[in-house]
Amino acid sequence: MTRPDPVRHDNAKVMNRFELTKRLVGRLKHGEAVIGGIGNTNFDLWASGQREQNFYMLGSMGLAIPIALGVAIAQPRRHVVALEGDGSLLMQLGCLTTVGMLGTRNLTIVVMDNHIYQITGAQPTATAAGTDIVAIAQAAGIARSAWAADEADFERLVDQALAQSGSEGGGPTLIAVRIDDKPAVATTERDPVKIRQTFMRGIAAQSG
Ligand SMILES: Cc1ncc(C[n+]2csc(CCOP(=O)(O)OP(=O)(O)O)c2C)c(N)n1
């Protein structure tokens, strides 16, 4: 596999969110939790096959990473993945500094960067003007932050994060991917109570 060195936001391959989500979920073999951010990221997570360990965020931007961080802290033996859009992350950038400060070792963040707020009409985000999510994450203290060069590189980065989960000297991983503007392939069933109850069961947490 060739990996351009360095892989940057402006030379990473433009991939497809559903395709990458399927590849990610296909690599989860140990009950890993996945938190899908508002809209397209959780729609494509839903479409990739429903798992009890998936949580689908409905309604508020920027909460996939904070929720994933909470689950990762509560269950340090479980790996937790957050899937978030660039627009949503830009609304809640402070969460990266919290992740960097805590150094949570069982957390992977995947940022789906399509340069737009797609679901509300494709208004451009700051990444369209050059804002680099990986540079921000590194400066926030998440040293293991990288752009995926292509699909194979994405899988390699995911495998590395899963293999090093919780290990001494490990830390959180952020994988940023450039994606196209294809719509999500399905829509999440909008039943918040069911989503919550299913997830609580899936991660064997007490449902209050
Ligand atoms: C706090 C908040 N502000 C605004 C909205 C309206 N809104 C919902 S999704 C969205 C765009 C999300 O963009 P991004 O995270 O980049 O995902 P994409 O739609 O590109 O997949 C906006 C503006 C909202 N739901 N919550």
Side-chain angles (χ1 to χ4, degrees):
M1 177 198 50
T2 46
R3 187 163 204 270
D5 190 24
V7 185
R8 299 184 313 261
H9 64 110
D10 55 357
N11 68 4
K13 180 180 173 189
V14 177
M15 298 177 273
N16 178 261
R17 182 179 43 242
F18 180 53
E19 186 56 42
L20 293 173
T21 305
K22 280 189 297 184
R23 286 174 186 255
L24 169 78
V25 172
R27 307 184 97 70
L28 305 179
K29 311 283 185 211
H30 303 286
E32 293 87 346
V34 185
I35 316 298
I38 182 174
N40 290 308
T41 52
N42 88 57
F43 292 174
D44 273 339
L45 177 62
W46 175 273
S48 72
Q50 288 131 60
R51 303 165 63 249
E52 288 204 332
Q53 297 86 8
N54 290 354
F55 183 80
Y56 307 93
M57 179 62 219
L58 304 173
S60 294
M61 295 168 73
L63 291 187
I65 297 167
I67 293 170
L69 177 61
V71 176
I73 291 169
Q75 299 196 348
R77 294 166 72 88
R78 186 188 303 276
H79 199 81
V80 185
V81 181
L83 306 178
E84 191 66 290
D86 55 316
S88 295
L89 175 55
L90 288 166
M91 180 170 262
Q92 183 74 326
L93 274 178
C95 69
L96 296 182
T97 65
T98 309
V99 171
M101 177 181 71
L102 295 175
T104 311
R105 293 176 182 162
N106 55 324
L107 177 65
T108 296
I109 298 165
V110 177
V111 182
M112 305 282 187
D113 185 1
N114 55 10
H115 288 185
I116 51 177
Y117 299 97
Q118 182 176 8
I119 215 157
T120 49
Q123 303 85 357
T125 65
T127 63
T131 295
D132 186 329
I133 296 291
V134 166
I136 292 173
Q138 283 170 345
I142 307 175
R144 294 157 197 260
S145 300
W147 286 97
D150 54 23
E151 289 85 354
D153 194 36
F154 175 72
E155 293 189 334
R156 187 187 65 78
L157 291 166
V158 169
D159 286 348
Q160 203 174 60
L162 293 174
Q164 293 173 354
S165 183
S167 65
E168 265 317 297
T173 297
L174 183 142
I175 306 169
V177 291
R178 280 284 290 115
I179 57 161
D180 60 31
D181 61 357
K182 292 220 176 67
V185 308
T187 307
T188 304
E189 189 188 328
R190 292 189 82 83
D191 187 339
V193 173
K194 190 169 157 197
I195 288 172
R196 173 177 173 274
Q197 285 173 343
T198 305
F199 182 65
M200 297 290 270
R201 193 169 59 236
I203 63 168
Q206 197 78 36
S207 183

